Amino acid sequence: QSTATISGTVENSNSVSVQLTIDTLYLKKKTQIITSALNNSQFNFTFAVDRSRLVELITDTNRLKIFIEPNDNLQLNIKNNSTLFAGTGSEQNTFLQKFYSQFKNDFDDSIMHEKMLNTGVDAFEISIFDSKKKQNELFKNYVGREKFSSGFSEFMENTIRYRYWDMLLSYPIINANSNQGMTVNDLPTVMLDGFEKIKVNNDAAMNCEPYREFLKYYVTYFTSEKNGFKKFTDLSV
């Protein structure tokens, strides 16, 4: 099995160690947690990697999502809220931090769910469509994109594409769950134009959280449609 290495320094840290978390099952359960001591501010992780995935590096002041692929050797220098990358995968991880920083609110479920509850469906769809457009523009126009691996480019395309559909399909479900009514409001048909081109069964996108969330709301929304958009009886009560 292939391995990958993430090493580097954490300056001005009050901690004696850093952690790396790997969600091997994509279920946020039985997450693998690896700890590395900070020796002279330096850390080192070498771990098995079966496929490209996001891992999370946790220091006393930062939580960094890092895209890692088999055989990567990535170095980081972390100082306060700034991170510099070097080595294999450095260019794409530099971009990833910029992307998550610029579109932080668009990928925050609590913020987006609150927006769903306080925004009409038309205005909400316009806002997420506009966000998708801006995300694509940043990705496609990024200087240094030619250094991205094919796996990372596919990951970013899936992240942007499925986040839009995840948000759209979850809108009626989140709203229905927030009230005592017995129905789910269906989406206007025009908003589902082009959905037939979306690949629902996409194993290559499993490393992408927006895709995994999309699957949940895809099943929920279209099952509700088959049920005449009536809420199902909660048999657990």
Side-chain angles (χ1 to χ4, degrees), residues 28-41:
K28 298 182 180 178
K29 296 177 186 272
K30 296 184 179 180
T31 299
Q32 182 181 1
I33 301 175
I34 311 172
T35 301
S36 172
L38 277 176
N39 295 315
N40 296 320
S41 301

Side-chain angles (χ1 to χ4, degrees), residues 12-218:
N12 304 325
S13 176
N14 294 318
S15 180
V16 296
S17 64
V18 295
Q19 287 186 337
L20 189 73
T21 65
I22 308 171
D23 185 5
T24 55
L25 300 179
Y26 304 123
L27 296 172
K28 298 182 180 178
K29 296 177 186 272
K30 296 184 179 180
T31 299
Q32 182 181 1
I33 301 175
I34 311 172
T35 301
S36 172
L38 277 176
N39 295 315
N40 296 320
S41 301
Q42 298 182 334
F43 66 89
N44 184 288
F45 297 99
T46 297
F47 52 99
V49 180
D50 58 343
R51 61 183 294 177
S52 61
R53 62 172 65 248
L54 275 188
V55 299
E56 188 172 37
L57 182 70
I58 304 172
T59 73
D60 56 341
T61 58
N62 292 278
R63 300 180 73 99
L64 296 174
K65 291 182 178 179
I66 299 172
F67 184 85
I68 204 77
E69 296 179 283
N71 304 313
D72 273 358
N73 189 344
L74 184 67
Q75 296 93 49
L76 292 74
N77 174 256
I78 303 171
K79 184 176 181 179
N80 301 326
N81 293 320
S82 175
T83 304
L84 296 177
F85 294 91
T88 313
S90 59
E91 190 71 41
Q92 53 206 34
N93 275 290
T94 298
F95 169 80
L96 190 63
Q97 305 313 311
K98 178 180 177 66
F99 181 87
Y100 281 139
S101 175
Q102 184 166 331
F103 300 107
K104 180 179 179 180
N105 289 349
D106 294 336
F107 288 84
D108 187 315
D109 283 345
S110 61
I111 291 175
M112 295 305 294
H113 289 178
E114 184 68 22
K115 188 173 182 178
M116 292 176 193
L117 297 176
N118 293 283
T119 309
V121 64
D122 292 318
F124 181 76
E125 191 280 331
I126 290 172
S127 71
I128 60 173
F129 183 87
D130 184 57
S131 294
K132 180 181 71 170
K133 181 180 178 182
K134 291 177 181 177
Q135 292 162 19
N136 271 315
E137 287 174 350
L138 177 65
F139 172 58
K140 292 179 179 179
N141 297 327
Y142 184 72
V143 176
R145 184 186 170 194
E146 70 280 356
K147 297 179 182 178
F148 294 170
S149 70
S150 59
F152 179 73
S153 293
E154 183 179 37
F155 169 81
M156 287 307 310
E157 290 167 355
N158 285 332
T159 294
I160 295 169
R161 178 187 303 114
Y162 287 110
R163 183 59 174 176
Y164 169 80
W165 289 105
D166 164 31
M167 290 293 94
L168 186 62
L169 293 179
S170 64
Y171 179 93
I173 307 304
I174 297 298
N175 274 275
N177 289 341
S178 71
N179 61 60
Q180 299 299 315
M182 297 305 297
T183 60
V184 177
N185 292 327
D186 57 323
L187 293 166
T189 303
V190 67
M191 290 186 184
L192 295 175
D193 284 352
F195 182 72
E196 68 280 357
K197 298 178 182 178
I198 297 300
K199 189 175 182 180
V200 175
N201 186 11
N202 189 351
D203 181 66
M206 279 299 295
N207 62 356
C208 175
E209 186 172 1
Y211 170 70
R212 301 194 299 270
E213 287 295 301
F214 156 79
L215 287 179
K216 177 173 69 177
Y217 287 108
Y218 166 81

